[in-house]
Amino acid sequence: ARSDGGEAGMHPSNIHDNAYAIGTVDFTGDMPVILGPDGPSLGGFVCPATVISADLWKLGQLKAGDSINFIPVSIDDAVALERAQMDSVSSLEAIEKTISAAALSSPIYKRIDEQQHGVEIVYRPGGDKYLLVEFGALKLDIELRFRVHALMLWLQDNPVDGVLELTPGIRSLQLHYDSQLISLDKLVSELDNAIASLRNIDDLDVPARVVHIPLSWDDDACRLAIEKYMQSVRQDAPWCPSNIEFIRRINGLDDVQQVKDIVFDANYLVMGLGDVYLGAPVATPMDPRHRLVTTKYNPARTWTAENSVGIGGSYLCVYGMEGPGGYQFVGRTLQMWNRYHKTKVFTRPWLLRFFDQIKFYEVSAAELEQIRHDFPKGRYEIRIEDTRFNLKQYLGFLRENDSDIQQFTDKRKAAFDEELQRWIESGQINFESTQDLVSDAEEEVLPEDCVAIESPVAGNVWKLLVSPGDKVDQDQTLAILESMKMEITITAPHAGTVYAVSRGEGSQVSAGQALLVLQENS
């Protein structure tokens, strides 16, 4: 449909961050992931379809190697199926509800012309429980974020029955609603009235803070995540082995010191929370001359250390917890989320608020380790300055510096286009996994005193901790697999000697394939 994601990133799947629906099919580069209730609140990848609420239970039955067939369903049928399911549970009797596959139609439910409100507005359903309201063109524009904020404030002051949650993105607001209580037609009608009630967006002035937080540049934890990615996911990725060097190259900078200077000079405006979990901010530099554009990992990483700091598209994110991820690393910082302690800065579990400004200062990896130990307990203080963010003043700043901003943007775009062309010519723009989930057709005949230690799941061999001839004890860890974003240890069922190793580090395995052969002690 398009060659790239522009300011959102190099791969066509990259978009300006918006909220995710539970059950949505999220294309992280060329790799689709169905997001469950433990998925992120929002992110920067396109979501072309969403599993309906009545079928979410089926996702829990899936295992590696299963195939899925999607069937298009109308919103009305999805609501009816959920109602029948709820009635079946309450009555403890099976209530059959048959439907027909729906014809595929436009994903846009309604479009409001620019002339009506000064900006085009698009309504996109996300399954039968979510509605995404998009403002304006597909671009990074802080004025659009203010429109989103104004709509959210209006809905908070004028609640709509059936609306459960409001989640803002960069240029959109997602409404999570109970479709058993309010229909999509009724919800859109309420939103039309709300948008028509918005006035004087340019005069919007919001309280904000400048939050100074430490950053360990090119932290060891980030390097470890890159190492694991190269071994178990994609060795030849253009952003490996150094994400920072990749950021330099794709932005046309002379050296990595320039990347570092920009990151520490910038004030990052927090535009969303919950990007890759637990209060994680998605933020962009207020000064466009500090906006470094990258692409996100394709496919995404299976592991990222908690509070790693990365750049994806024009946005910076601090990962709220350990998990997967796709932003290009620059370093690591302190906690964004504190579940267990109230402190001076953690009056709520999350540290940051919408329209806060993040300002980094440098610390060593050793210093950060101690900071991360002390900060959740209230034993490390960070500087927080109260301020305000005024849209009219900010737009004036952009006009005053328009020439310099355009010069920086043009240079960055030229480097971005050159990198994109290299990807296209080399075939790196797309990625296809070579994983074979089919077990070996022929099993090796083993000596009588030997047993094959098999993989319990499909995945990759992350670490082999033994070699042929090694003596091992019962329950000793022999290997570590990486599967479905988890690390799985493989232990010895009994004492013995390693007879043979069948799979090397970095190799892919399917469930039932032999990892190594263990010979029993005589």
Side-chain angles (χ1 to χ4, degrees), residues 135-154:
F135 290 85
L138 297 170
K139 64 179 182 179
L140 171 54
D141 186 339
I142 291 176
E143 185 174 0
L144 296 179
R145 178 63 182 85
F146 262 73
R147 288 183 177 272
V148 171
H149 191 65
L151 177 59
M152 183 182 75
L153 293 178
W154 194 95

Side-chain angles (χ1 to χ4, degrees), residues 289-303:
R289 292 167 292 188
H290 290 151
R291 288 178 190 161
L292 299 171
V293 173
T294 72
T295 195
K296 305 169 186 101
Y297 277 44
N298 174 32
R301 289 185 301 274
T302 54
W303 180 78

Side-chain angles (χ1 to χ4, degrees), residues 224-432:
L224 176 60
I226 296 171
E227 178 187 334
K228 294 178 73 169
Y229 181 83
M230 291 178 64
Q231 185 178 56
S232 61
V233 181
R234 185 178 180 184
Q235 187 172 14
D236 66 340
W239 45 84
C240 295
S242 171
N243 288 181
I244 295 173
E245 165 58 26
F246 174 71
I247 294 171
R248 179 207 68 78
R249 188 173 74 242
I250 199 174
N251 285 277
L253 301 176
D254 296 331
D255 51 49
V256 294
Q257 183 62 42
Q258 285 187 296
V259 180
K260 186 175 183 179
D261 291 343
I262 288 174
V263 170
F264 283 101
D265 287 344
N267 280 45
Y268 289 92
L269 184 69
V270 175
M271 303 180 77
L273 291 171
D275 190 52
V276 290
Y277 312 105
L278 292 184
V282 55
T284 193
M286 293 178 63
D287 189 336
R289 292 167 292 188
H290 290 151
R291 288 178 190 161
L292 299 171
V293 173
T294 72
T295 195
K296 305 169 186 101
Y297 277 44
N298 174 32
R301 289 185 301 274
T302 54
W303 180 78
T304 306
E306 179 190 53
N307 305 134
S308 296
V309 181
I311 298 175
S314 299
Y315 304 103
L316 176 136
C317 176
V318 182
Y319 286 78
M321 59 180 279
E322 181 178 325
Y327 282 37
Q328 304 289 338
F329 292 121
V330 295
R332 195 181 188 199
T333 188
L334 44 66
Q335 290 86 346
M336 297 290 103
W337 187 273
N338 192 350
R339 185 189 304 272
Y340 302 109
H341 296 280
K342 278 195 173 184
T343 68
K344 182 179 178 181
V345 296
F346 279 111
T347 56
R348 294 174 292 185
W350 54 95
L351 174 66
L352 298 170
R353 307 168 187 170
F354 297 132
F355 298 106
D356 276 354
Q357 298 170 35
I358 299 171
K359 185 75 175 176
F360 291 112
Y361 58 90
E362 187 173 10
V363 297
S364 68
E367 288 174 312
L368 181 64
E369 185 176 351
Q370 185 62 45
I371 290 170
R372 289 179 52 78
H373 179 268
D374 294 338
F375 184 57
K377 300 178 177 67
R379 298 173 187 164
Y380 181 83
E381 288 197 10
I382 58 174
R383 183 158 61 99
I384 298 178
E385 308 167 50
D386 289 326
T387 185
R388 299 192 70 83
F389 189 89
N390 181 278
L391 181 59
K392 186 174 290 185
Q393 292 176 1
Y394 178 70
L395 295 177
F397 165 80
L398 295 183
R399 286 192 296 270
E400 291 172 9
N401 295 276
D402 180 67
S403 178
D404 284 350
I405 291 171
Q406 192 60 52
Q407 185 177 354
F408 174 86
T409 304
D410 290 344
K411 180 181 178 182
R412 185 189 67 193
K413 186 178 185 307
F416 183 96
D417 291 343
E418 289 175 12
E419 182 74 14
L420 177 61
Q421 189 59 38
R422 282 194 293 269
W423 282 29
I424 293 172
E425 292 173 356
S426 65
Q428 289 180 309
I429 187 67
N430 296 111
F431 174 80
E432 291 186 15

Side-chain angles (χ1 to χ4, degrees), residues 4 27 98 131 183 237 277 309-310 353 390 417-418 436 440 455 497:
D4 61 81
F27 269 82
T98 59
L131 179 66
S183 69
Y277 312 105
V309 181
R353 307 168 187 170
N390 181 278
D417 291 343
E418 289 175 12
D436 181 7
D440 294 336
S455 172
T497 302

